[in-house]
Amino acid sequence: RHSFISKLFELAHKEGIHTAVDTSGAVSFDAFEEVLENTDCVLYDIKFKSDEMHRKYTGQGNKLILENLIKIADKIRKGDNIELWIRTPLIPTLTGSKENITEIAEFIRDNLMDVISRWELCTFNKACQNKYERLDLLWQCGDIPLVNHSDLESIKETVKSTGFDMDKLVISGLVAE
């Protein structure tokens, strides 16, 4: 797959088309390197900083994910012209916990602040709930409340308390009243 994406991005660049990769980062770095040659922007998910929590909620650890992210940052530092966005789904009681947000903010601050354009916190929504019901699948997030304005203010304060550059924080998605 990565060879196909690499070739597609090469052709897109020849036509002046901007390219972006949206990834969880759970692939070999060799695959990344080939695709990054013609990538303008990387949207990179960090769901949890804790390997234990990542494993619990996604089924796999995040060691490779974080290692790949550091390697991409190093490529940018060496002159690769790639815009890097970090994205975190903001799920109350899970990824939106004070502990997780603090850990991710500190990780970005300490390892990536010089190379990222933004850290986007994507608010949780229940848009996919119907899909799970139609497929007769259990959706484990069905009882989780939506993010509200008070939650967002608390999260912003948590991020700010870490020394994170707040000009790089973006919050997207719907917020409950």
Side-chain angles (χ1 to χ4, degrees):
R1 284 186 250 186
H2 68 275
S3 293
F4 170 78
I5 294 168
S6 178
K7 186 65 177 172
L8 177 67
F9 280 15
E10 180 184 334
L11 295 172
H13 269 191
K14 286 180 181 174
E15 295 297 319
I17 299 170
H18 184 273
T19 58
V21 173
D22 186 349
T23 182
S24 69
V27 299
S28 76
F29 193 70
D30 290 341
F32 262 124
E33 276 198 303
E34 187 175 335
V35 172
L36 289 175
E37 288 178 26
N38 289 292
T39 298
D40 297 305
C41 183
V42 175
L43 292 75
Y44 204 100
D45 290 355
I46 302 179
K47 294 171 182 72
F48 293 97
K49 173 60 177 71
S50 160
D51 186 71
E52 179 184 338
M53 294 294 284
H54 199 276
R55 189 174 303 280
K56 179 178 179 179
Y57 290 104
T58 70
Q60 71 177 36
N62 65 354
K63 184 176 187 245
L64 175 65
I65 293 166
L66 297 177
E67 286 174 356
N68 282 340
L69 181 54
I70 296 296
K71 289 176 182 177
I72 291 170
D74 288 342
K75 286 182 72 56
I76 294 169
R77 285 184 192 103
K78 290 177 182 171
D80 283 22
N81 191 24
I82 301 168
E83 187 172 5
L84 179 58
W85 297 6
I86 304 301
R87 298 182 357 150
T88 300
L90 203 52
I91 305 170
T93 72
L94 297 176
T95 59
S97 73
K98 183 174 183 171
E99 180 181 0
N100 190 54
I101 293 298
T102 299
E103 289 175 352
I104 294 172
E106 289 173 344
F107 175 79
I108 295 170
R109 179 199 67 206
D110 295 345
N111 297 285
L112 306 167
M113 193 59 77
D114 61 323
V115 295
I116 67 161
S117 298
R118 68 196 279 173
W119 178 25
E120 182 176 3
L121 300 177
C122 310
T123 60
F124 171 70
N125 67 66
K126 297 185 180 199
C128 68
Q129 190 166 359
N130 284 344
K131 182 166 91 173
Y132 276 79
E133 290 169 1
R134 285 192 316 269
L135 294 171
D136 201 28
L137 297 172
L138 173 65
W139 187 43
Q140 296 178 345
C141 296
D143 293 333
I144 294 176
L146 297 175
V147 176
N148 62 44
H149 291 285
S150 175
D151 296 333
L152 280 184
E153 289 309 311
S154 178
I155 288 166
K156 286 180 196 176
E157 285 304 312
T158 297
V159 172
K160 188 175 183 179
S161 74
T162 68
F164 187 90
D165 179 352
M166 296 301 283
D167 290 337
K168 293 188 177 191
L169 183 69
V170 175
I171 297 175
S172 65
L174 300 175
V175 179
E177 288 296 321

